[in-house]
Amino acid sequence: MRRADRHETLDLMPIEEFDVIHRYFSSISYYSDVANVLEVPIGDDAAVLNRQLFSHADLVVCADTLCEGTHFFPSMSPFLLGIKALTVNVSDIASMGATPFAFTLCLTLPSIDHKWLREFSEGLTFAAQKYGVSLIGGDTTRGPLAISIQILGQSQHGALRRSNAQVGDLIAVTGSLGDAAAGFRIAQACELSGSILEGNAYLLDRFQRPTARLGFAAFDGCHACIDISDGFLQDLEHICRASNLKAHIDPDLLPLSSELRAFSREQKQNPLHYGLIGGEDYELCFTFSPNAQPSLELQAAELGIALSVVGTLTDLNASEPDTFIALKGWTPESIQELKGKGFQHFAH
Ligand code: ADP
Ligand code: MG
């Protein structure tokens, strides 16, 4: 906590701060080995992790913040917010080929609202249980609503870096793409018209209640991976730029849900546009050598996660060193134009 916050917190909510931590955040613990890993839990000035942990695994760390008005609508339910705040962090750990085990929570609250806190804590607990992680510390301050989570993961197989994709790799994505962007559109329309949230429940769920695709950490044929938070084209381009390669994608192979197709028909929009540039799906995009395809497909099948091979990687074209993605049947100009449109996302 910064000094200024400390005075404000101590002046304005001394007992409440400890009460809030105790009531809502002191027992969210679902990492199965937590008793062996956590030397000092919530309650002291800092958590302490046992050194044994780091003798057999790399520590993988990332953080993500959600601010009201920037990353979520003020009307978003605290339960869903708790789920989403943790899920987006778990997804980053998953995309590094790692497994999360612990997280910290920095919560900035405009006031102490026990109903809000209870529901938020329930959402957080739901996601912590689903992903097997433990809350080990954090900070609680007063200010405009913001939720910042830092998450720790372990990797025993080496991290999946964006820069490690290889020529000849296949490119695959999990699940389906564009659903969350369509869900966002529905939520936005309800927000703007002041009406209650209704519409296609599947698409809304995909926006409000994303799932992180854990379970691929042990897959050893994979070269690079990214989670699709900003849109397939944009995120795939991160891999291509970092690895100095060009992706050749067949848009017909992009997995689009029947719900997205129906929604797009109603809206007189092209569902492929949602699939290509819609953000917040939190699906994974892998690149891997073709001979690893059977084992990746087996792994996905065992996890019950759909997997679609959508393209391949080659060297960059020397005459177009800045063209990182080719879409079959599309001109480079039409790709640029689509990317330029973006989804005017609240978040980006
Ligand atoms: P300090 O004043 O030393 O920063 P705090 O009063 O902020 O300590 O926190 C006391 C304990 O509660 C610490 O272990 C801290 O990690 C934990 N904590 C504070 N806020 C949260 C939170 N939102 N979620 C989980 N743990 C928290
Ligand atoms: Mg503190």
Side-chain angles (χ1 to χ4, degrees), residues 1-330:
M1 178 192 302
R2 287 187 297 116
R3 287 278 155 211
D5 296 340
R6 179 179 295 274
H7 290 304
E8 187 183 61
T9 307
L10 286 178
D11 287 348
L12 297 177
M13 48 180 210
I15 309 292
E16 287 143 294
E17 183 191 353
F18 298 114
D19 182 45
V20 162
I21 297 165
H22 177 71
R23 278 167 79 164
Y24 302 109
F25 303 118
S26 61
S27 56
I28 302 182
S29 188
Y30 296 95
Y31 175 55
S32 57
D33 202 22
V34 73
N36 288 327
V37 165
L38 201 58
E39 295 282 340
V40 178
I42 287 178
D44 215 310
D45 290 316
V48 178
L49 300 173
N50 190 300
R51 76 189 72 173
Q52 298 301 328
L53 182 68
F54 309 110
S55 62
H56 65 275
D58 294 331
L59 182 63
V60 181
V61 185
C62 66
D64 240 316
T65 300
L66 302 182
C67 301
E68 183 176 79
T70 307
H71 301 100
F72 60 91
F73 296 118
S75 61
M76 184 158 175
S77 103
F79 180 79
L80 294 175
L81 208 48
I83 294 179
K84 190 157 185 173
L86 184 53
T87 302
V88 300
N89 278 282
V90 171
S91 178
D92 276 326
I93 294 289
S95 73
M96 294 304 286
T99 306
F101 64 97
F103 67 104
T104 60
L105 168 69
C106 293
L107 195 56
T108 307
L109 301 166
S111 63
I112 302 292
D113 173 342
H114 285 281
K115 181 172 181 293
W116 190 96
L117 277 160
R118 192 181 57 251
E119 290 175 19
F120 175 76
S121 164
E122 284 168 2
L124 201 64
T125 302
F126 176 89
Q129 189 164 19
K130 177 170 173 177
Y131 299 118
V133 294
S134 294
L135 179 55
I136 62 167
D139 199 16
T140 308
T141 51
R142 192 189 285 263
L145 181 60
I147 301 147
S148 187
I149 286 182
Q150 183 168 51
I151 190 160
L152 310 179
Q154 42 187 322
S155 159
Q156 278 147 13
H157 309 270
L160 293 178
R161 302 181 60 164
R162 297 176 181 184
S163 57
N164 195 42
Q166 314 282 320
V167 171
D169 273 3
L170 297 178
I171 300 165
V173 295
T174 58
S176 56
L177 301 182
D179 294 335
F184 169 74
R185 276 276 180 263
I186 298 170
Q188 187 185 41
C190 295
E191 185 79 17
L192 290 176
S193 67
S195 56
I196 56 156
L197 202 55
E198 59 182 1
N200 186 301
Y202 168 83
L203 296 175
L204 271 172
D205 235 39
R206 291 275 288 159
F207 166 59
Q208 296 194 308
R209 214 172 155 129
T211 297
R213 301 303 195 182
L214 274 182
F216 290 97
F219 171 64
D220 61 5
C222 190
H223 291 143
C225 183
I226 194 165
D227 67 325
I228 303 176
S229 54
D230 295 334
F232 174 66
L233 286 184
Q234 194 168 321
D235 289 319
L236 175 61
E237 188 166 319
H238 289 312
I239 289 184
C240 294
R241 277 184 188 275
S243 300
N244 243 334
L245 295 174
K246 181 169 177 177
H248 300 260
I249 301 297
D250 182 347
D252 290 341
L253 300 178
L254 231 59
L256 304 178
S257 68
S258 54
E259 288 86 352
L260 175 63
R261 289 178 196 277
F263 173 79
S264 303
R265 241 189 333 271
E266 273 166 33
Q267 303 287 312
K268 300 191 172 33
Q269 286 170 333
N270 184 348
L272 192 55
H273 291 185
Y274 281 95
L276 288 169
I277 62 170
E280 308 234 347
D281 282 318
Y282 300 101
E283 297 295 348
L284 294 180
C285 174
F286 295 101
T287 88
F288 52 94
S289 62
N291 56 21
Q293 187 174 354
S295 60
L296 180 58
E297 283 176 344
L298 194 66
Q299 182 115 351
E302 273 171 13
L303 292 165
I305 297 174
L307 187 86
S308 308
V309 175
V310 296
T312 56
L313 285 168
T314 65
D315 276 319
L316 285 173
N317 190 333
S319 62
E320 302 168 314
D322 290 328
T323 304
F324 292 99
I325 298 180
L327 287 181
K328 196 170 151 194
W330 288 51

